[in-house]
Amino acid sequence: MHPKYKLKYQPEYQTDNKDHNFIPYARQSIDETDIHAVTQILRSDWLTTGPMIEKFEHAVAGFVGAKYAVAVSSGTAALHSALHAAGIGSGDEVILPPITYAATANAVVFVGGTPVFADVDYDTLLIDPQHVEKKITSKTKAIVAVDYAGHPCDYDTLRSLADAYDLILISDACHALGAKYKKKILGTSADLTVFSFHPVKHITTGEGGMVVTDNSEFADKMQKFRNHGINTDHRQRALKGTWFYEMTDLGFNYRISDIQCALGINQLKRLQDFLSARQKIAAQYNELLEDLSYVYPLSVHDHVSHGYHLYVVKIDFTYLGINRPDLFLTMQKRGIGINVHYVPVHLHPYYRNNYGTKKGLCPKAEAAYEEILSLPIYPLMKKNDVTYIIHVLSEITADNTAKKQPLSFNRLIGDNHV
Ligand SMILES: *Cc1c(COP(=O)(O)O)cnc(C)c1O
């Protein structure tokens, strides 16, 4: 075997850090009960379209308090299915924030819609309802809110906007399984709520996704959509003793397997522990960062329970002797995997070339992008990993200067521009 495959999760580059294993920015938590759940399915009759699919859907729907859930092969497939169910099509505009994974906007393109970017709140990086309202036209059909980093969006305001303009509200809650808005777990705050089960997310199925909704028509549409637009699946026909089926719409193969759903069911049982572990790590970061004067955690509103898929800080590099690319590399050399979430989607060449988006469209997102850094966070992280990360960060930034002032957007543009 090539020696590289013996490494557990060390990347291929060298690290100078002899005392620590490499700390990735994110990592799944798989234990023996997960492995057992998967191997049981491998010995069973149904590897896909079997009973585990519905079981997983019921478990997630029950957990978030939604009536229906449709499991699919990825979070991206879930977004695509949700936009299809919402009836988005050619010429329809969908408003979304630029601080998200490209998949959020891509899914709008998949159904023939036009992504329209609304700027974010500078302190939380969540879509700003005021900017959403400014972007609404007669062609607007939906809003996709992204619960960035695990912080739920301002759903009360978004709901009233959606109702006032007759829009469908979709939540891309891929970062936020188990997060709460006003004491309620996310899953019913929007008309359709989308989750991802990629290994970096709260629970994993390897690849996988799900949409939850209280709308039975939406659920029916998505069930067909994940199976080529066909009205029954193989197992339903086997149970009924018939071979006949009809394809009524154009769909895809977005099915998820029973192997994946069995893993998902077991992971969901562990979610509460995962969430508490993430929240503990975030609290430890918050405390240690009080002492670093140029590093600021994002703001968190009082009325939410944060899911902490990501722990994002803003760094004011103007006063530091190091820029972000160098900081990134130096941290990596010291055995710490940091990341940047995200390059604003409207600045990607695909969107610039096909939708004419450019710099200046979302000034707050663009300014924040220059400052953000995602520090490692995942349930298996140790307390001294956090201490080590902050120690290295303070050493590299030589950050021991005067008192903290909260970062404000106004300082970047001058007060008279606001
Ligand atoms: C992960 C993610 C997705 C896509 O999920 P996949 O399962 O990777 O397809 C979409 N939106 C956001 C915000 C995500 O973080």
Side-chain angles (χ1 to χ4, degrees):
M1 190 164 54
H2 190 283
K4 137 180 158 192
Y5 295 111
K6 287 192 187 143
L7 296 174
K8 261 220 138 153
Y9 52 85
Q10 278 88 343
E12 288 166 44
Y13 45 79
Q14 292 295 306
T15 101
D16 302 340
N17 170 15
K18 307 250 181 343
D19 307 324
H20 277 258
N21 278 334
F22 187 82
I23 306 169
Y25 95 88
R27 180 170 165 75
Q28 70 274 16
S29 310
I30 297 293
D31 70 6
E32 286 306 317
T33 66
D34 292 316
I35 293 166
H36 178 70
V38 168
T39 51
Q40 264 194 317
I41 298 306
L42 291 174
R43 294 176 213 282
S44 80
D45 290 339
W46 295 95
L47 298 189
T48 191
T49 63
M52 287 303 126
I53 317 296
E54 243 178 68
K55 209 172 159 193
F56 185 34
E57 290 170 341
H58 283 160
V60 174
F63 172 71
V64 303
K67 283 192 186 139
Y68 309 98
V70 179
V72 290
S73 52
S74 71
T76 307
L79 279 166
H80 188 186
S81 305
L83 286 157
H84 167 78
I88 309 302
S90 187
D92 295 339
E93 293 178 358
V94 176
I95 300 175
L96 74 163
I99 298 289
T100 184
Y101 191 43
T104 317
N106 296 354
V108 175
V109 177
F110 294 165
V111 294
T114 305
V116 173
F117 297 95
D119 210 352
V120 294
D121 174 79
Y122 178 73
D123 300 322
T124 58
L125 303 190
L126 299 175
I127 195 165
D128 181 342
Q130 280 189 342
H131 285 261
V132 172
E133 188 160 22
K134 283 187 195 149
K135 299 281 173 141
I136 294 174
T137 71
S138 57
K139 291 183 183 161
T140 310
K141 289 283 155 57
I143 303 166
V144 183
V146 177
D147 304 299
Y148 176 75
H151 190 310
C153 293
D154 178 1
Y155 282 106
D156 281 352
T157 313
L158 291 169
R159 179 83 267 166
S160 2
L161 266 182
D163 289 348
Y165 292 91
D166 198 17
L167 310 174
I168 291 178
L169 179 58
I170 298 171
S171 159
D172 179 343
C174 288
H175 293 185
L177 181 64
K180 291 179 191 161
Y181 176 73
K182 301 200 169 163
K183 302 212 165 91
K184 238 173 64 188
I185 293 179
L186 289 188
T188 49
S189 301
D191 299 305
L192 294 137
T193 301
V194 174
F195 299 113
S196 161
F197 309 125
H198 180 276
V200 300
K201 307 291 164 72
H202 283 88
I203 65 168
T204 190
T205 58
E207 294 279 2
M210 201 179 286
V211 188
V212 298
T213 180
D214 279 348
N215 183 315
S216 64
E217 266 174 53
F218 288 170
D220 285 348
K221 267 178 107 170
M222 292 188 290
Q223 256 162 16
K224 279 191 197 171
F225 191 66
R226 74 172 164 195
N227 191 32
H228 311 280
I230 290 171
N231 56 359
T232 54
D233 69 30
H234 177 66
R235 182 159 160 268
Q236 286 167 334
R237 291 192 293 275
L239 291 172
K240 273 194 191 158
T242 178
W243 47 264
F244 184 75
Y245 62 82
E246 280 182 308
M247 184 196 131
T248 51
D249 298 296
L250 187 64
F252 289 77
N253 177 356
Y254 277 165
R255 294 186 306 259
I256 187 169
S257 70
D258 284 61
I259 306 167
Q260 292 166 301
C261 288
L263 178 56
I265 292 163
N266 201 66
Q267 285 262 300
L268 188 66
K269 291 181 190 157
R270 306 177 58 209
L271 175 61
Q272 220 40 263
D273 291 343
F274 293 161
L275 280 166
S276 334
R278 286 176 179 277
Q279 284 160 351
K280 258 192 210 146
I281 292 160
Q284 206 192 338
Y285 270 133
N286 286 343
E287 197 186 319
L288 292 172
L289 283 174
E290 299 256 324
D291 298 334
L292 303 201
S293 46
Y294 289 116
V295 183
Y296 306 83
L298 293 186
S299 303
V300 180
H301 291 156
D302 290 338
H303 58 263
V304 304
S305 169
H306 199 307
Y308 284 110
H309 160 59
L310 300 173
Y311 188 87
V312 179
V313 294
K314 283 192 198 154
I315 299 187
D316 190 354
F317 285 96
T318 39
Y319 302 101
L320 299 181
I322 190 164
N323 59 26
R324 192 170 52 173
D326 288 342
L327 177 71
F328 189 94
L329 279 177
T330 312
M331 295 282 282
Q332 215 162 46
K333 279 201 178 142
R334 304 279 301 261
I336 301 165
I338 55 178
N339 216 327
V340 173
H341 297 92
Y342 294 93
V343 176
V345 178
H346 68 287
L347 298 183
H348 283 304
Y350 177 82
Y351 286 99
R352 286 196 274 112
N353 295 336
N354 293 288
Y355 293 89
T357 55
K358 54 181 180 228
K359 235 182 167 151
L361 185 66
C362 297
K364 288 179 182 167
E366 292 160 20
Y369 165 62
E370 303 294 337
E371 302 167 337
I372 49 176
L373 212 58
S374 304
L375 301 179
I377 189 164
Y378 50 94
L380 288 172
M381 245 174 97
K382 306 278 185 312
K383 236 182 154 170
N384 60 3
D385 289 338
V386 181
T387 329
Y388 173 72
I389 291 162
I390 297 301
H391 169 74
V392 171
L393 189 63
S394 68
E395 233 178 47
I396 296 172
T397 56
D399 185 349
N400 48 15
T401 36
K403 244 183 98 196
K404 263 188 142 113
Q405 292 293 325
L407 279 184
S408 81
F409 181 65
N410 294 354
R411 87 191 195 286
L412 297 170
I413 54 168
D415 287 336
N416 37 6
H417 285 81
V418 210

